[in-house]
Amino acid sequence: MEWREAFEANLKKEGMELELSESDERGPYFVKIHAPWEVLVKYADMLKVKVPFMPSDFPSSRRSKVEWLLKPFRLPEHIMNPEPDCFTTTFDKERIDFFPIQDQDTFFPPSTRNRIVYHILSRCSYSNRDGSEKERKGIKQLLSNGTYTAAFPLHDCRYWLRDECSESERYSLYHHWARFLSFYKEQPLDLVRKYYGEKIGLYFAWLGFYTEMLVGAAVVGLICFLFGVFTYKNNIWSKEICDPTIGGSIVMCPLCDVNCTYWKLSSTCASSWQSHLFDNSATVFFAIFMGIWVTLFLEFWKRRQAQLGYEWDLVDFEEEQQLLQLRPEYEMKCKHRRRNPITQEMEPYMPITSKFARTCLSSATVLFWVALIIACIIGVIAYRLAAYAAFAKIMKDSPTSQLQFVGPLITPQLATSITASFLNFIIIMILNVVYERVAIWITDKEIPKTHMEYENRLTMKMFLFQFVNFYSACFYVAFFKGKFVGYPGHYTYMFGGWRKLRNEECAPGGCLMELTTQLVIIMVGKQLCGNIQEVLLPWLRNLWGRHKAHSPGSIYCRWEQDHDLQALSQLGLFYEYLEMVIQFGFITLFVASFPLAPLLALFNNIVEVRVDAWKFTTQLRRPVAAKAHSIGAWEEILNGVAVLSVVTNAFIVAFTSDMIPRLVYYYVYRPGDAPTMEGYIANSLSIFKISDFPPNDTSIRSEKPAWFKSSVTICRYRDYRYPPGHENQYSHSLQFWHILAAKLAFIIIMEHVVFIVKFFVAWMIPDIPEEVTARIKRERYHTQKKLHHYELEKLRLQLSEGSTPFHAPSPGDRSSLDPATLPLDVAEGETEGEVSVLPYDSTEEKETLATFL
């Protein structure tokens, strides 16, 4: 109570108006805070808020000739452009009559007003007045110690009902933006920015732009998939696998040491046809296309961000952020002070030794958690190795194998892949919950200086964790599974031979189909869980909160309604970005294995935009408006993922798919001169003599299938090795080294081609549109011109009020050149001399100087 009284008393000293109310006998007390005009003016000047000073005279962009086609997708003009297009400049309370203030209640937009109030709340002290204890300040500390239970700006109205006494922007956002039936409409980004602030506005701008760019990638991916469908019957190697005289006569070696037996190649007939849908000649084209698409996306987003930065007055915000937006926690915890070389004022700082120690603690904790994730992934891999043998035993005589259509699809490989994917997904979700708290704790210990620095550090930590968490299983299937297997009789074992967990092999069609399965389960599962969680959890919590808090018959005030809504958590917007960036990684890093990934992402994002809009508008308290000049560290993360995607897709095409071995066979090893792929399957399988199994090998003692006869003396396995009887039997053949050289050459060529095109495209597309550059220059010109005329008029009025006679000074005597003593006609340069009024550095708003010539 003492802290509360001191805090509220200090708020009143700052000029804030407070009103105390309570909901009912059992309900909480509410302190309603209002910032009067004088307080807004004071802090708008302190925070260097930009405000309009004249209408823009820059010609508007020309409308497209096909505007009539876009009309169904447009929103009403007053929704898309809630404020007139004006030139802006930094607010100065000393020149308040310079700005066209028609209405003090609407001159500062809602986002600016609640940002100013929160700035005051976050720095207001609540320590004892006698100074007997260390200084405590900030609403954040009062919330953490339970002095207050919540602090939030109010919504301006109910979202389903227009309020005639307010601007009703929430109602407009819900009616035109947050309803799913508006999914095909453009987003009212200016209204979102006006109501929620620039930071949230930038998120929805980025999400909308990303969704629009996905249309092209989805169309090309669908075409590549349809190419696989239409060339389905031309798949010679699948025909050979399904042919009873070819695939039906090839006996394959056991895939595990226990409970696995010999099997026929024709049993993988269905999976080989499926893999052709994704593993065909269009795969290479699509991988190269996506490497260029991601560059276009990032470059065009830079241009869009620059345009929004100008329109939303974010051009010079980064420097202001560093100087004016110090975190209150940094100011309180940093006891050392030093003089700022620029402002010459004393400011808090952290010694290098303390910073180094905190960085070491942070790095060690992050590495520990990354190692923990890797350990969990190794556990999942061990499960795969053990589960395959179990499924092979269970499904050997299972009734499911007799089903007409799905029977051939239900194999031990598929069962192992699906169950391991779901197990991995569950581990991902569990670790997410724990690591979120760890990441926040680590970042708090580092004590970042500014809000931007805090968010960037937290973002990098969380993304590093999520990157390993979500992508490690896909990396294993794409680049490790089936690569270190050995050969019959000399297999490679995980943890050594003592655990008898033999490394997994790929199916005869390669591991690409399994990578596709893994990708679909994690990607689609995460998106479905995310959307259900975003819709159901806030709605159920709000429903339960209203049921507990509101008694029938009592008045339900607007502040009580907002209090019963869910608060946007500290990582609320972070998780919105993270969800999309993880999806961006799936459709770029592994897109060569699943061309339909961009199409699934497009469908998800169309829903995601409206779900997020509905959640912010109807289910969440109004968040404190925050400014941001960009999407922050996410931009660097996207650039890193874009570069890595070129490498991963080149390796997927080379090592995970069968594209390169097929090309090498076609051009080098095919029999005869006929352009055909016949004989490829037999060529890609090596021969092993069953009698060469070591005596202690369990494969000899495994149960033989009914069709297995004593006349079967050899089995086949997927590799390129010399046959038994050769002088180098069971060692890699020359064809293996040819294929390996071709794979490495393909990786080098593809990477260089895509990187050259990427850099050329990035060089060709300027980051800032010419129109934005011209507008910035035009605005600065008008700012200097208007301030010049304003100061000249102000000086003229001052001189016209004076009555002191003017005496021309003698040459060299400048002591009497007091502008206040100059008569009006002299100031205008009409008699004895000429006065030139020069605004000194008007952009920094220094004093206006008058020089007499």
Side-chain angles (χ1 to χ4, degrees):
M1 186 180 296
E2 292 177 358
W3 285 343
R4 204 158 40 232
E5 290 175 354
F7 185 70
E8 293 172 7
N10 289 331
L11 286 177
K12 292 179 180 178
K13 289 182 181 179
E14 289 288 340
M16 308 293 283
E17 298 177 0
L18 274 64
E19 178 184 348
L20 181 65
S21 64
E22 60 175 312
S23 56
D24 53 38
E25 295 181 357
R26 297 180 295 105
Y29 287 86
F30 290 88
V31 180
K32 294 178 285 183
I33 303 175
H34 173 68
W37 172 251
E38 294 76 15
V39 175
L40 294 176
V41 167
K42 173 184 174 182
Y43 281 93
D45 178 77
M46 181 186 300
L47 297 177
K48 300 193 180 301
V49 174
K50 287 192 173 183
V51 295
F53 67 92
M54 66 171 289
S56 174
D57 62 354
F58 203 88
S60 58
S61 302
R62 294 181 180 178
R63 287 191 171 271
S64 173
K65 294 181 181 180
V66 294
E67 184 65 26
W68 59 275
L69 285 175
L70 303 177
K71 191 173 182 180
F73 306 99
R74 301 295 188 193
L75 289 175
E77 182 66 21
H78 71 281
I79 299 296
M80 284 302 298
N81 300 297
E83 296 177 328
D85 188 13
C86 295
F87 289 135
T88 60
T89 189
T90 305
F91 184 78
D92 186 354
K93 64 181 180 181
E94 301 298 331
R95 297 171 177 163
I96 195 168
D97 52 340
F98 172 75
F99 302 98
I101 304 174
Q102 299 177 356
D103 186 353
Q104 294 181 354
D105 293 334
T106 59
F107 181 69
F108 295 109
S111 58
T112 300
R113 295 201 297 267
N114 81 53
R115 186 161 62 92
I116 290 174
V117 172
Y118 187 76
H119 178 84
I120 298 172
L121 292 176
S122 62
R123 284 159 176 78
C124 185
S125 173
Y126 61 92
S127 303
N128 291 336
R129 299 176 183 176
D130 56 6
S132 59
E133 59 180 3
K134 65 178 182 179
E135 184 183 14
R136 294 188 175 94
K137 62 180 181 180
I139 186 64
K140 189 174 180 180
Q141 293 293 326
L142 291 172
L143 291 173
S144 64
N145 61 33
T147 305
Y148 294 100
T149 58
F152 52 90
L154 291 176
H155 284 292
D156 62 355
C157 67
R158 300 179 181 181
Y159 67 87
W160 66 88
L161 183 66
R162 182 182 293 277
D163 189 347
E164 300 299 333
C165 299
S166 68
E167 299 178 71
S168 299
E169 292 174 349
R170 187 188 186 195
Y171 171 82
S172 298
L173 286 171
Y174 174 74
H175 186 71
H176 296 282
W177 179 53
R179 297 193 302 177
F180 184 74
L181 293 178
S182 303
F183 72 92
Y184 62 95
K185 297 280 189 180
E186 58 186 340
Q187 295 189 83
L189 295 177
D190 288 338
L191 187 58
V192 174
R193 171 249 181 171
K194 181 182 177 184
Y195 192 75
Y196 288 113
E198 290 79 3
K199 190 173 182 180
I200 292 177
L202 269 177
Y203 164 71
F204 281 103
W206 178 82
L207 178 57
F209 183 81
Y210 171 46
T211 304
E212 292 172 6
M213 290 292 292
L214 277 175
V215 174
V219 170
V220 176
L222 181 60
I223 292 173
C224 292
F225 176 77
L226 293 177
F227 175 82
V229 174
F230 293 142
T231 59
Y232 194 73
K233 295 183 179 180
N234 299 328
N235 184 3
I236 302 299
W237 47 92
S238 293
K239 289 181 179 180
E240 290 186 345
I241 292 176
C242 299
D243 190 338
T245 61
I246 301 176
S249 63
I250 296 178
V251 178
M252 302 295 294
C253 299
L255 294 176
C256 63
D257 290 343
V258 182
N259 299 324
C260 292
T261 184
Y262 299 94
W263 53 285
K264 289 187 177 181
L265 182 61
S266 57
S267 63
T268 62
C269 175
S271 62
S272 67
W273 284 111
Q274 294 168 9
S275 65
H276 175 72
L277 298 176
F278 307 105
D279 187 6
N280 52 65
S281 54
T283 302
V284 179
F285 165 77
F286 190 60
I288 295 175
F289 169 80
M290 287 301 294
I292 300 172
W293 173 88
V294 73
T295 303
L296 292 173
F297 164 67
L298 294 174
E299 292 301 319
F300 282 124
W301 166 247
K302 290 178 184 177
R303 292 171 61 84
R304 177 63 174 149
Q305 187 171 254
Q307 181 182 357
L308 291 175
Y310 166 75
E311 294 175 357
W312 294 353
D313 300 320
L314 303 172
V315 175
D316 301 320
F317 175 69
E318 185 175 9
E319 290 76 13
E320 298 171 11
Q321 169 82 12
Q322 297 297 327
L323 296 175
L324 299 173
Q325 298 288 328
L326 290 180
R327 297 176 65 241
E329 295 84 356
Y330 182 84
E331 295 176 335
M332 288 189 297
K333 295 180 180 179
C334 293
K335 304 303 181 183
H336 298 80
R337 296 288 187 273
R338 67 180 177 186
R339 189 175 301 278
N340 188 308
I342 300 175
T343 62
Q344 294 299 309
E345 296 179 355
M346 299 301 292
E347 65 176 12
Y349 84 102
M350 183 182 297
I352 188 67
T353 54
S354 177
K355 187 180 297 186
F356 178 76
R358 294 174 184 274
T359 303
C360 289
L361 173 64
S362 171
S363 302
T365 308
V366 171
L367 289 176
F368 168 77
W369 275 92
V370 170
L372 180 62
I373 301 170
I374 295 175
C376 292
I377 298 303
I378 293 175
V380 173
I381 295 172
Y383 162 80
R384 298 172 69 103
L385 303 181
Y388 181 83
F391 280 120
K393 181 178 180 180
I394 294 171
M395 302 176 69
K396 184 168 55 176
D397 300 317
S398 174
T400 57
S401 60
Q402 307 301 322
L403 296 177
Q404 184 174 1
F405 296 106
V406 298
L409 303 178
I410 304 176
T411 62
Q413 293 96 328
L414 181 64
T416 303
S417 177
I418 292 177
T419 56
S421 298
F422 276 110
L423 178 62
N424 182 62
F425 180 70
I426 293 172
I427 292 175
I428 286 172
M429 293 302 166
I430 294 174
L431 291 177
N432 271 348
V433 177
V434 181
Y435 186 75
E436 174 184 334
R437 300 179 181 179
V438 175
I440 294 175
W441 177 78
I442 296 171
T443 310
D444 288 339
K445 289 297 181 182
E446 292 179 1
I447 317 179
K449 185 175 183 180
T450 64
H451 295 285
M452 182 183 298
E453 186 179 348
Y454 181 90
E455 291 180 1
N456 288 345
R457 291 188 183 185
L458 183 60
T459 298
M460 295 304 295
K461 291 183 183 65
M462 288 293 294
F463 180 76
L464 177 63
F465 170 82
Q466 301 288 359
F467 183 89
V468 179
N469 204 5
F470 278 101
Y471 299 141
S472 54
C474 292
F475 270 97
Y476 164 73
V477 175
F479 306 123
F480 295 97
K481 183 180 177 181
K483 306 302 186 294
F484 312 100
V485 177
Y487 63 94
H490 293 80
Y491 287 114
T492 305
Y493 293 87
M494 188 178 184
F495 308 122
W498 66 279
R499 293 298 299 171
K500 293 300 180 181
L501 294 177
R502 200 174 97 189
N503 287 351
E504 288 184 281
E505 296 184 45
C506 291
C511 282
L512 194 71
M513 195 61 199
E514 185 171 347
L515 176 61
T516 303
T517 305
Q518 184 89 23
L519 185 67
V520 170
I521 288 177
I522 296 180
M523 179 180 173
V524 176
K526 183 182 184 305
Q527 291 176 350
L528 286 176
C529 289
N531 286 331
I532 293 174
Q533 183 177 353
E534 288 184 33
V535 172
L536 285 183
L537 288 185
W539 182 76
L540 291 175
R541 288 171 179 170
N542 290 336
L543 188 65
W544 178 248
R546 287 193 296 269
H547 174 73
K548 289 198 306 181
H550 181 56
S551 56
S554 61
I555 299 176
Y556 199 31
C557 302
R558 196 205 313 169
W559 47 88
E560 294 178 292
Q561 298 170 20
D562 287 5
H563 177 262
D564 292 339
L565 297 176
Q566 296 298 302
L568 183 67
S569 66
Q570 182 180 0
L571 292 176
L573 202 59
F574 166 83
Y575 273 117
E576 302 295 343
Y577 272 115
L578 178 66
E579 182 181 1
M580 291 296 101
V581 173
I582 292 295
Q583 181 203 87
F584 179 82
F586 280 127
I587 69 166
T588 53
L589 293 174
F590 308 102
V591 74
S593 67
F594 189 46
L596 294 180
L599 184 63
L600 294 181
L602 175 62
F603 289 150
N604 174 80
N605 289 7
I606 291 174
V607 177
E608 181 74 23
V609 172
R610 304 304 161 178
V611 167
D612 286 346
W614 173 82
K615 182 177 67 174
F616 272 89
T617 307
T618 66
Q619 303 301 311
L620 295 180
R621 296 173 187 164
R622 188 174 182 176
V624 176
K627 296 193 76 172
H629 75 287
S630 67
I631 59 175
W634 295 113
E635 193 166 342
E636 297 302 321
I637 290 173
L638 291 172
N639 282 316
V641 172
V643 173
L644 182 61
S645 68
V646 178
V647 180
T648 56
N649 282 298
F651 273 85
I652 287 174
V653 174
F655 287 98
T656 309
S657 80
D658 259 10
M659 179 66 61
I660 303 300
R662 289 198 294 261
L663 291 175
V664 171
Y665 174 80
Y666 181 82
Y667 287 106
V668 181
Y669 290 94
R670 75 171 188 264
D673 298 329
T676 179
M677 288 295 295
E678 292 181 1
Y680 168 72
I681 289 297
N683 177 267
S684 65
L685 299 174
S686 296
I687 301 174
F688 183 79
K689 193 174 182 180
I690 296 178
S691 59
D692 288 342
F693 273 115
N696 60 346
D697 197 293
T698 56
S699 300
I700 302 176
R701 300 188 298 270
S702 61
E703 184 180 354
K704 307 295 188 296
W707 50 262
F708 191 88
K709 299 179 181 178
S710 58
S711 59
V712 178
T713 58
I714 62 170
C715 64
R716 309 292 286 268
Y717 60 99
R718 182 181 170 82
D719 206 343
Y720 292 91
R721 295 178 181 270
Y722 288 115
H726 193 277
E727 59 181 353
N728 296 319
Q729 69 174 5
Y730 304 138
S731 62
H732 285 122
S733 64
L734 185 61
Q735 185 176 355
F736 170 84
W737 300 109
H738 284 170
I739 293 174
L740 180 61
K743 290 179 177 181
L744 298 177
F746 172 82
I747 292 172
I748 294 173
I749 293 173
M750 178 178 169
E751 286 182 358
H752 280 71
V753 169
V754 175
F755 279 132
I756 289 173
V757 174
K758 282 169 62 72
F759 292 141
F760 179 75
V761 169
W763 174 74
M764 286 289 293
I765 302 175
D767 292 346
I768 303 177
E770 292 183 4
E771 181 182 351
V772 173
T773 303
R775 282 178 174 269
I776 293 173
K777 292 179 179 179
R778 182 71 175 169
E779 182 175 86
R780 288 175 177 171
Y781 165 77
H782 274 297
T783 301
Q784 295 178 359
K785 182 179 177 181
K786 278 281 187 179
L787 284 173
H788 172 81
H789 287 298
Y790 171 80
E791 295 294 348
L792 182 61
E793 187 66 25
K794 187 176 180 180
L795 180 60
R796 183 179 295 162
L797 291 175
Q798 290 176 354
L799 295 176
S800 64
E801 293 174 358
S803 57
T804 306
F806 172 74
H807 302 283
S810 58
D813 182 10
R814 308 190 64 84
S815 60
S816 59
L817 294 181
D818 183 1
T821 65
L822 297 179
L824 182 60
D825 55 350
V826 175
E828 292 178 339
E830 296 176 354
T831 54
E832 290 92 333
E834 179 180 356
V835 171
S836 124
V837 181
L838 304 176
Y840 177 72
D841 195 3
S842 61
T843 59
E844 295 295 332
E845 304 185 355
K846 303 287 182 170
E847 268 188 41
T848 300
L849 305 179
T851 57
F852 182 78
L853 304 178

